Amino acid sequence: MSARPLVLVVSPGDETYRGYCLEQVAAAYDVVLLTGTEPSWEKPFIVGHAVVDLSDPAALLAGGRVLAERHDLTGVITWDEWNLVPTAVLARALGLPSPSVEVMRACRNKATARTLFARHGVPSASSMKARTLLEAGLATMTLGYPAVLKPAAFAASIGVIRVDPPEELPAAFAFASQGASRSREDTTVLVEEYLDGPEFSVECVTHRGETTAVAITRKHLGPAPYFDETGHTVDANDPLLAQVAPAATAAVKALGITDGVQHVELRLVNGRPRLIEVNARIGGDMIGHLVHLATGIDLPRAAADLACGRTPDLTPTRAGAAGIRMLYPDTSGTLTERNINQPFAAHTPWLRQVQWIREIGDQLVLPPDGDLYVARAGFYIVTGRTTAEVTERLDTAADEITVTTQADR
């Protein structure tokens, strides 16, 4: 029998974007999975599993109870946005450490979060709910233009769109409503004031009510009016962290989070932070991996520690920078070519990873018809000493990578 504590991971995600999370947790813990499909790539990192319909909260709860009967669980975690609330329900049922179900629901619902931000004096965007186009129009009369429309309870920037002239509102409301309809929790659309300024996220770790901002991520977005994220950079010595950390930690406190890892999104408007949302899990798009490359801080390990009632080690062991850039085609169509200059890749140690996620012959569809799940061909990651060096290296590598599509007739 292993002497290591045993943690239950709910919905490990796909190997491409979340494989590093499972691998880093498994380095310190024995892991059992509650998953929607029979494990494949996960097998080297787990000691047991159960397959359930993760979209069915009752089935997820029942599957978790079965695993708890078979194994002596110390904690339960997820880094899957869609399963934050069911995982909290499961932890409560099993008597394991976890943020409360109510707190997770508040994090999942942007309207609820906005209300709590306002109540606790956290600077955020003015926001109004809209179930119909008429209500959206009335909201813009109060909030003004430009405005942002988004699903109240979804993620990955799906259904998020900026509206400038009023005549664009009907199409924008239809776009946001389509995204909102995919939510299992709230199909309402939010109409918000547009926060005009650069976008960041603060990667936070909260233990017993005390939040530590461990890194800041500079975000890069695709062309307006959409908010698709095209890349991120993390610098261990970024001076902006000290400037935005107080707002991020205040937002975490306003939501009532006492333990866990948070990915807090905000914008700087006239040099002052304004909150967008708090995601109560490790950031997507490999951000946790970038934090590890730049600082040495292990966010997946920290999440497991907190889930097991332990104090996480947040001591930086590196002082560098790292960046990721998503590979999008110029136009929608059939992917006909995807490659990287192999001699360049073989002799470039700072090019840490090139990952293709679509195959030749696949359809790549850009917004508004597509989202990040069908628009990206892949991504690549580089490291360096500073943000400036990482940005230069991202640009250098871009010249060595080809993504070509042929428009469908």
Side-chain angles (χ1 to χ4, degrees), residues 72-135:
D72 184 16
L73 300 178
T74 309
V76 54
I77 56 171
T78 187
W79 37 78
D80 180 1
E81 177 74 22
W82 321 116
N83 283 297
L84 289 172
V85 174
T87 299
V89 171
L90 174 60
R92 175 186 283 180
L94 299 180
L96 295 172
S98 172
S100 76
V101 175
E102 294 73 22
V103 166
M104 288 298 96
R105 287 196 177 113
C107 292
R108 286 288 302 129
N109 192 299
K110 297 175 179 65
T112 303
R114 288 274 184 268
T115 300
L116 290 170
F117 293 158
R119 184 179 302 164
H120 292 272
V122 179
S124 180
S126 300
S127 175
M128 299 176 70
K129 297 180 77 168
R131 297 188 179 277
T132 65
L133 177 59
L134 176 60
E135 290 180 355

Side-chain angles (χ1 to χ4, degrees), residues 228-245:
D228 291 318
E229 295 174 351
T230 59
H232 312 273
T233 56
V234 176
D235 188 331
N237 297 306
D238 196 321
L240 273 177
L241 179 60
Q243 181 179 345
V244 302

Side-chain angles (χ1 to χ4, degrees), residues 30 42 66 69-70 75 144 162-163 166 177 277 295 347 357 377:
D30 286 344
E42 304 98 330
V66 168
E69 291 172 0
R70 296 179 191 163
R162 188 176 109 184
V163 185
S177 296
E277 63 190 45
T295 71
H347 295 91
I357 57 178

Side-chain angles (χ1 to χ4, degrees), residues 108-319:
R108 286 288 302 129
N109 192 299
K110 297 175 179 65
T112 303
R114 288 274 184 268
T115 300
L116 290 170
F117 293 158
R119 184 179 302 164
H120 292 272
V122 179
S124 180
S126 300
S127 175
M128 299 176 70
K129 297 180 77 168
R131 297 188 179 277
T132 65
L133 177 59
L134 176 60
E135 290 180 355
L138 293 173
T140 60
M141 291 176 66
T142 300
L143 300 172
Y145 289 95
V148 175
L149 274 64
K150 65 175 63 172
F154 214 58
S157 299
I158 293 172
V160 184
I161 187 170
R162 188 176 109 184
V163 185
D164 288 279
E167 54 267 25
E168 292 178 354
L169 184 62
F173 183 77
F175 178 78
S177 296
Q178 184 178 25
S181 69
R182 297 163 63 177
S183 172
R184 302 198 303 250
E185 296 153 302
D186 187 340
T187 58
T188 305
V189 169
L190 290 187
V191 182
E192 298 186 346
E193 67 168 316
Y194 174 64
L195 301 179
D196 190 4
E199 187 165 331
F200 305 88
S201 65
V202 184
E203 318 315 324
C204 296
V205 178
T206 303
H207 178 49
R208 295 180 180 174
E210 293 296 324
T211 299
T212 302
V214 300
I216 183 170
T217 304
R218 294 178 180 251
K219 295 181 168 295
H220 304 274
L221 304 179
Y226 311 105
F227 291 81
D228 291 318
E229 295 174 351
T230 59
H232 312 273
T233 56
V234 176
D235 188 331
N237 297 306
D238 196 321
L240 273 177
L241 179 60
Q243 181 179 345
V244 302
T249 57
V252 171
K253 184 176 182 179
L255 289 168
I257 299 172
T258 57
D259 291 276
V261 175
Q262 303 86 39
H263 171 68
V264 183
E265 297 181 339
L266 51 84
R267 284 192 170 205
L268 280 181
V269 180
N270 297 323
R272 296 182 178 182
R274 302 276 298 278
L275 260 293
I276 298 174
E277 63 190 45
V278 174
N279 301 280
R281 40 86 181 163
I282 299 166
D285 279 357
M286 304 293 287
I287 286 174
H289 183 52
L290 299 183
V291 171
H292 195 234
L293 289 173
T295 71
I297 295 172
D298 188 333
L299 291 180
R301 168 70 182 273
D305 289 340
L306 292 163
C308 295
R310 297 180 163 193
T311 302
D313 184 359
L314 304 180
T315 307
T317 58
R318 299 174 192 151

